[in-house]
Amino acid sequence: VMLSKLKLKRITSLNRCINADIIALKTNNLYSAVNILITRGGIMQGGSNFALEDASLSDADALTAFIVQYYSAHEIPEEIITSEYCEKELLENFFLENFEKKVDVVFAKQGVRKKLLEMAEKNAEEYLSKSIDKIKHKDDMTKNACARMKEILGLSRYPKRMECYDISNISGVDKVGSMVVFSDGEPDRMSYRRFKIKTVEGANDFASLQEVLRRRLSKLGTEEESRFPKPDLIIIDGGKGQLRFAYETLQRLGLEHKIAIVGLAKRIEEVYFPHDPLPYYIDRNSEALKVLMHIRDEAHRFGITFHRKKRSLAFIRSELESIPTLGPRSVSYTHLTLPT
């Protein structure tokens, strides 16, 4: 480590004119890692490592996409030193058009820039080797779990977008429906939604669930579908009863053959299908079941959080209104003196 630091000092101390970020990508054809070294006035300011998990992109596309995303939130240098498979012209135009800044994308082939790039490449390679196990574990818990779920549940397509619904209420008061969304097995919290139940009287969770599903799924085929795309799989928190009412809603909307739906009962985590009265049991150690349990528990947590907040606000409002001087009447001021 000390020798590396001495080598780094020796490289940078000779080149006071370099104000550049050095960016290197290393891949094993399944996973990739990027290292960035930041140099200002020939002095190394620091470095960062990033793991890239989209194996569908070529090295050039992956590095170009990473650079565009990275500099949307970081300081833009005068120069980017990288390897020659990067999209040089596209990136230089990107900085000019979006930030009105001229950035030279340099392909380092010799000299000090080449040495800096080699250092970044070595860092990226070391980070990749250390990160592979973590990345594989994450994939096993998310994308691979979803692929396995497709097989286990006999789904016609990979469940990229999954939605789960939960109804919470206390004695039929302040009924709340919650919808959570998972994408590739991970929470997509920006897509979560809450619904205040509008048409159901009393503590009728089945009818409340139907209302929520009807309101959400009626957005399909409208201009709102871009914000609420069709789910690949709907998970209902509950067993045969809840699933039957939810499936009836799909039938009324003509979606029973377009969207897969299952129920997940909490007692022993059994899965129910619309046309099968008997439950299906997934191996308790299966990552696919863990994803189903995660989204079900997340829907319950999300609904309860909103429910408690709503009730707390109602309590505070009623307490304030009970104070004579802070009641619902409007207050007017007949005389007001301002300081001179």
Side-chain angles (χ1 to χ4, degrees):
V1 176
M2 185 59 69
L3 287 174
S4 297
K5 288 182 178 179
L6 289 173
K7 181 181 178 183
L8 189 59
K9 269 188 179 179
R10 188 167 64 252
I11 290 174
T12 56
S13 63
L14 297 174
N15 295 270
R16 300 299 182 188
C17 61
I18 295 181
N19 294 288
D21 288 354
I22 302 93
I23 305 179
L25 179 144
K26 282 292 181 178
T27 182
N28 64 357
N29 296 321
L30 287 176
Y31 306 102
S32 302
V34 171
N35 175 256
I36 298 181
L37 298 177
I38 300 170
T39 304
R40 299 292 182 268
I43 303 298
M44 192 65 66
Q45 303 291 317
S48 301
N49 293 302
F50 302 87
L52 307 185
E53 300 173 33
D54 189 349
S56 65
L57 297 177
S58 66
D59 289 350
D61 289 343
L63 187 56
T64 302
F66 171 82
I67 290 173
V68 168
Q69 183 178 359
Y70 177 81
Y71 287 109
S72 296
H74 292 82
E75 178 190 354
I76 300 172
E78 297 173 5
E79 185 178 328
I80 293 176
I81 299 170
T82 187
S83 49
E84 59 187 62
Y85 52 71
C86 192
E87 297 287 347
K88 172 182 171 67
E89 185 176 348
L90 186 152
L91 286 172
E92 290 180 344
N93 288 336
F94 166 76
F95 290 115
L96 199 59
E97 292 174 6
N98 290 274
F99 301 99
E100 297 182 350
K101 183 164 183 176
K102 186 179 185 305
V103 177
D104 292 325
V105 177
V106 178
F107 297 150
K109 295 182 178 180
Q110 60 184 3
V112 67
R113 287 173 174 78
K114 177 64 173 175
K115 292 179 181 178
L116 288 169
L117 181 60
E118 289 173 350
M119 190 173 297
E121 289 174 341
K122 184 177 180 181
N123 290 342
E125 192 168 13
E126 290 176 354
Y127 182 73
L128 178 62
S129 65
K130 292 176 182 177
S131 301
I132 285 176
D133 288 341
K134 292 181 181 178
I135 296 171
K136 285 181 178 178
H137 177 70
K138 183 181 177 183
D139 279 356
D140 286 341
M141 297 290 289
T142 54
K143 295 177 184 177
N144 294 342
C146 290
R148 180 66 179 137
M149 188 188 304
K150 176 180 181 295
E151 298 175 7
I152 292 173
L153 300 182
L155 304 176
S156 60
R157 58 181 175 270
Y158 170 81
K160 180 176 180 61
R161 180 185 173 98
M162 295 185 288
E163 296 179 1
C164 186
Y165 297 83
D166 179 75
I167 305 297
S168 60
N169 69 77
I170 296 180
S171 301
V173 179
D174 290 338
K175 295 183 294 296
V176 175
S178 62
M179 177 189 89
V180 302
V181 179
F182 275 32
S183 180
D184 284 323
E186 295 186 86
D188 178 8
R189 293 185 174 85
M190 295 297 291
S191 298
Y192 287 14
R193 293 293 183 272
R194 294 181 173 111
F195 301 82
K196 296 178 184 178
I197 305 303
K198 299 178 179 179
T199 64
V200 180
E201 297 293 333
N204 189 335
D205 287 358
F206 292 164
S208 297
L209 176 61
Q210 287 187 318
E211 178 190 323
V212 169
L213 282 172
R214 184 176 62 253
R215 286 164 57 187
R216 183 271 177 267
L217 295 175
S218 64
K219 298 181 186 299
L220 299 179
T222 72
E223 59 185 15
E224 291 190 90
E225 185 171 344
S226 60
R227 293 172 51 233
F228 299 91
K230 181 167 67 69
D232 300 300
L233 175 65
I234 290 176
I235 298 104
I236 299 301
D237 179 13
K240 288 185 291 185
Q242 289 90 338
L243 180 62
R244 179 169 63 85
F245 277 82
Y247 187 67
E248 285 177 1
T249 304
L250 289 186
Q251 289 177 310
R252 291 192 189 107
L253 296 171
L255 297 170
E256 70 273 23
H257 300 302
K258 298 179 180 179
I259 301 174
I261 186 170
V262 297
L264 181 63
K266 195 166 188 176
R267 188 170 63 86
I268 50 177
E269 309 298 357
E270 63 263 40
V271 177
Y272 286 91
F273 297 92
H275 300 296
D276 191 345
L278 298 177
Y280 180 80
Y281 299 95
I282 302 177
D283 184 346
R284 298 283 296 190
N285 296 318
S286 169
E287 303 300 346
L289 178 60
K290 291 176 183 177
V291 170
L292 288 174
M293 292 167 61
H294 186 188
I295 191 172
R296 188 270 318 280
D297 294 343
E298 181 72 353
H300 185 67
R301 179 202 65 78
F302 187 60
I304 288 294
T305 300
F306 179 58
H307 190 261
R308 288 174 178 165
K309 180 179 179 182
K310 190 171 183 287
R311 289 178 61 82
S312 296
L313 289 173
F315 174 78
I316 292 170
R317 185 166 56 248
S318 65
E319 287 294 304
L320 289 173
E321 289 177 351
S322 69
I323 301 172
T325 56
L326 292 177
R329 295 172 300 169
S330 61
V331 180
S332 61
Y333 295 91
T334 58
H335 179 71
L336 183 63
T337 302
L338 295 176
T340 57

